[in-house]
Amino acid sequence: LLLDKPIGLSSNDALQKAKWLLRAEKAGHTGTLDPLATGVLPLCFGAATKFSQLHLDADKAYVAIAKLGEKTTTADAEGEVIQSRSVPTLTQDQLDAVAQRFSGDITQVPPMYSALKQDGKPLYELARQGIEVERAARHVHISQLKLSLWQTESTDVAIKIEVHCSKGTYIRALARDIGIGLESGAHLTSLRRTRSGSFNVNDALTLEKFEEIFN
């Protein structure tokens, strides 16, 4: 089943809710979304959990909004601002040039606030204790990347990031690095996964719809 995960819930919390609604004994999701993120989350139940790895390995597509001019501890809006600077006037040509730099095979340093483990502990647990450890850069592939200026209700300068990428790509890290490329710094303010493999968010159900169908 395809879930359109709501904001504020972890992927596992959303899975457990769907599992309870379906009275399923066995269930698994196919790729973690941060609580801040929304979008398509394929869920497998019963014998279908054997195939969850296929979707974990699938390419993904996202639409994100990043605020320019501020870096945060988490590279998203949940963290504390650690650096502020003015944002230069940007043209579409400049955005296209930076998008080109971050397309194809690139390397990323995973954010400290991530589920990657160090000596058996998730990095985010260490980060919450104020501990920062060295993270090895990872190779990922960005097959499509489009950047455009995003109109906000305030005077903040923001960009829209539309990306198709390989598994294991950290969109928060991508936004952070794009902000560096634009000489302004950046952090995510919203993130939506629009595709996972062949599954599109337009075909997904909300938790409210799940409840309506299965309660």
Side-chain angles (χ1 to χ4, degrees), residues 12-146:
N12 189 58
D13 287 342
L15 171 69
Q16 295 307 319
K17 179 88 171 177
K19 181 181 176 183
W20 179 81
L21 287 169
L22 292 173
R23 278 70 170 175
E25 292 185 9
K26 191 175 182 182
H29 65 71
T30 61
T32 301
L33 281 173
D34 290 341
L36 174 72
T38 66
V40 62
L41 182 66
L43 306 178
C44 298
F45 298 92
T49 55
K50 296 174 184 176
F51 303 103
S52 61
Q53 188 63 42
L54 294 175
H55 299 295
L56 285 170
D57 293 339
D59 287 355
K60 311 291 193 298
Y62 299 88
V63 175
I65 305 299
K67 180 182 176 182
L68 301 182
E70 290 181 350
K71 289 183 180 180
T72 69
T73 51
T74 58
D76 63 25
E78 295 185 324
E80 296 179 9
V81 176
I82 54 175
Q83 186 183 80
S84 297
R85 60 187 298 183
S86 60
V87 181
T89 301
L90 296 171
T91 66
Q92 188 59 50
D93 284 346
Q94 288 173 301
L95 294 176
D96 291 344
V98 170
Q100 187 64 34
R101 280 175 51 192
F102 289 96
S103 296
D105 294 320
I106 66 169
T107 57
Q108 286 188 321
V109 176
M112 271 301 298
Y113 281 85
S114 66
L116 279 180
K117 292 187 176 179
Q118 175 97 355
D119 298 327
K121 280 192 174 182
L123 289 181
Y124 63 78
E125 286 188 8
L126 297 175
R128 286 170 182 162
Q129 298 170 33
I131 300 170
E132 182 160 351
V133 297
E134 189 172 339
R135 288 95 67 202
R138 299 168 57 152
H139 294 277
V140 296
H141 184 77
I142 308 296
S143 53
Q144 291 182 41
L145 179 60
K146 180 181 178 183

Side-chain angles (χ1 to χ4, degrees), residues 146-159:
K146 180 181 178 183
L147 305 179
S148 55
L149 287 171
W150 182 255
Q151 188 68 41
T152 66
E153 295 178 358
S154 66
T155 57
D156 296 337
V157 182
I159 56 170

